[in-house]
Amino acid sequence: MKIVSIAILGKKNNPLYVYVSNEENKRKFEYIIHTSLDFFEEKVPLISPLSKKSTQNQNDMYLGHLFPTEDYKVYGYLTNTNYKLVCIIDDSEIKEQEMKTLLNNLHTILVDTICNPFYITDEPITSKTFHLKILDLIGKK
Amino acid sequence: MSKLYTKLGESAWTKVDKINSEIFTLTYGEVVNSLIQDYETSEEVNAQLDEMGYSIGIRMIDEFLAISEVEQCKSFRDTGEILAKVACKMYLGVDAVCKYWTEDDSAFTLELKTNPFVDFVELPQKYKDLWYCNIICGIIRGSLDTLQISVDVKYQKCVLRGHNTNEIRVTLKSSNKENSSKKN
């Protein structure tokens, strides 16, 4: 399973961070990420304020497989604060649980970076530590 | 003697009220941010943090002596040990050590391997001269000053600047030893 690209988008859909494993295809991946934005809105579960489902938990943020493209699969994750995490992989075999874990970890890394008092919210993430953590996360997979 | 101080430190740690470390770290981060907006240069912010720390230190010393129940120090060396083993443990929850004593025991380095102030923090390039935790230096200076021990406290190494540990150098300037260094 190869993670080809990871992106983090802000509340106004502005890109905060984009990682691509292959620099040549960067444009293509950015295009795919842009396309995935529509799917975020489609897939957001309609939560009725009156329902008292006790099954609501953290993984309501995980939106799952968004849409297929020729060679890739795109997965999305929407946080409660409207940060969108997008992950593009090129393999066809991946367990849902693995992807959920990956995106959860990505969320955790994002939260750590946001807590930095010198990070200005909604600005692109330039922190080296963040980048290293992402590489680490991908490396594990 | 060292074991005694470690024990005192731990018992003091259990006696005090605790606060969630994230709210503490985030609050301190905003304090530093706010100072940067007001003062702009790193040197001025460092100086301000030191002043703030001084103000905290002169108040903190009384509480410290009341809760930790340490005895009078016989020498500056004892002072250093208590600072590291009891005070740092009680207020920051970290185990600090005293190292690099000079021959005449007039200066030492306080080493903190971990520091709750710096969780999540990354120093941007333009503030690379900032000593983010300079408030600690002020606190030490303020508390010792109230005990008639005049010291110079400076940050030597900080993990935010890429070093592998945090080190603060404490140098004795003068002390009224006749009044006996009741140490903090």
Side-chain angles (χ1 to χ4, degrees):
Chain A
M1 198 260 313
K2 189 161 180 291
I3 296 173
V4 152
S5 175
I6 283 189
I8 299 182
L9 304 146
K11 303 161 211 226
K12 300 188 185 137
N13 296 339
N14 46 325
L16 300 178
Y17 179 81
V18 177
Y19 159 81
V20 289
S21 59
N22 186 350
E23 284 298 320
E24 288 169 5
N25 291 338
K26 191 166 184 181
R27 284 255 174 264
K28 188 160 108 175
F29 294 134
E30 285 179 349
Y31 176 71
I32 295 176
I33 291 163
H34 196 239
T35 320
S36 70
L37 287 171
D38 287 329
F39 292 89
F40 271 98
E41 286 168 28
E42 268 183 36
K43 285 250 178 175
V44 166
L46 298 162
I47 301 169
S48 152
L50 298 172
S51 80
K52 290 179 188 162
K53 279 194 182 163
S54 58
T55 50
Q56 291 206 357
N57 55 24
Q58 192 197 30
N59 279 316
D60 275 356
M61 297 191 264
Y62 176 71
L63 299 176
H65 183 49
L66 293 179
F67 69 103
T69 56
E70 331 125 5
D71 309 308
Y72 309 106
K73 284 182 157 194
V74 183
Y75 288 85
Y77 185 106
L78 176 69
T79 70
N80 288 334
T81 46
N82 279 331
Y83 282 98
K84 303 170 183 63
L85 313 183
V86 182
C87 182
I88 307 177
I89 58 169
D90 71 346
D91 232 19
S92 44
E93 286 158 33
I94 177 166
K95 298 185 197 145
E96 285 286 298
Q97 199 47 46
E98 254 188 86
M99 183 47 78
K100 270 193 197 178
T101 319
L102 175 74
L103 287 170
N104 272 336
N105 290 340
L106 186 60
H107 188 190
T108 312
I109 296 175
L110 176 67
V111 163
D112 284 346
T113 306
I114 293 175
C115 284
N116 177 9
F118 294 111
Y119 169 69
I120 306 166
T121 42
D122 257 5
E123 296 269 307
I125 299 175
T126 51
S127 144
K128 285 187 197 127
T129 323
F130 179 77
H131 186 65
L132 287 172
K133 282 187 185 168
I134 299 279
L135 292 179
D136 212 21
L137 183 69
I138 294 173
K140 277 193 207 152
K141 290 279 160 186
Chain B
M1 208 51 188
S2 196
K3 278 194 187 157
L4 169 68
Y5 291 147
T6 317
K7 257 192 179 173
L8 279 174
E10 275 160 31
S11 85
W13 171 245
T14 52
K15 282 190 220 166
V16 292
D17 289 335
K18 313 277 187 311
I19 178 183
N20 177 308
S21 70
E22 281 182 18
I23 199 171
F24 173 68
T25 307
L26 292 173
T27 306
Y28 184 73
E30 281 313 305
V31 165
V32 176
N33 242 344
S34 168
L35 284 175
I36 288 178
Q37 277 166 22
D38 291 341
Y39 293 96
E40 288 173 30
T41 65
S42 301
E43 293 79 41
E44 290 196 40
V45 177
N46 286 340
Q48 273 304 306
L49 283 171
D50 194 68
E51 279 310 305
M52 284 168 61
Y54 186 84
S55 192
I56 295 176
I58 57 182
R59 294 164 229 284
M60 203 182 237
I61 178 65
D62 285 306
E63 198 214 350
F64 174 78
L65 290 172
I67 295 189
S68 66
E69 299 168 358
V70 289
E71 293 179 343
Q72 272 190 11
C73 289
K74 302 189 179 55
S75 68
F76 192 58
R77 205 166 182 120
D78 283 342
T79 305
E81 289 295 317
I82 290 186
L83 182 59
K85 301 254 168 356
V86 190
C88 286
K89 181 74 185 174
M90 182 173 152
Y91 286 111
L92 299 175
V94 296
D95 294 313
V97 283
C98 283
K99 332 201 305 200
Y100 309 142
W101 283 95
T102 53
E103 292 224 346
D104 56 354
D105 277 1
S106 67
F108 65 94
T109 295
L110 187 66
E111 187 198 9
L112 301 112
K113 285 246 153 55
T114 62
N115 185 347
F117 285 101
V118 306
D119 290 338
F120 312 127
V121 181
E122 265 178 73
L123 226 50
Q125 244 333 75
K126 53 182 166 164
Y127 303 122
K128 59 180 169 55
D129 289 329
L130 181 69
W131 290 120
Y132 188 80
C133 308
N134 214 32
I135 204 168
I136 302 181
C137 296
I139 294 178
I140 297 175
R141 192 168 63 88
S143 354
L144 293 183
D145 222 31
T146 324
L147 299 170
Q148 321 281 334
I149 306 171
S150 181
V151 285
D152 215 11
V153 189
K154 288 236 161 43
Y155 236 99
Q156 304 276 75
K157 289 189 185 173
C158 181
V159 291
L160 294 180
R161 292 230 202 157
H163 303 121
N164 51 5
T165 183
N166 303 295
E167 285 187 6
I168 299 177
R169 187 88 188 145
V170 182
T171 317
L172 186 62
K173 285 202 301 211
S174 72
S175 88
N176 291 344
K177 287 241 168 96
E178 299 82 75
N179 294 351
S180 216
S181 5
K182 248 184 297 176
K183 220 231 20 128
N184 147 34

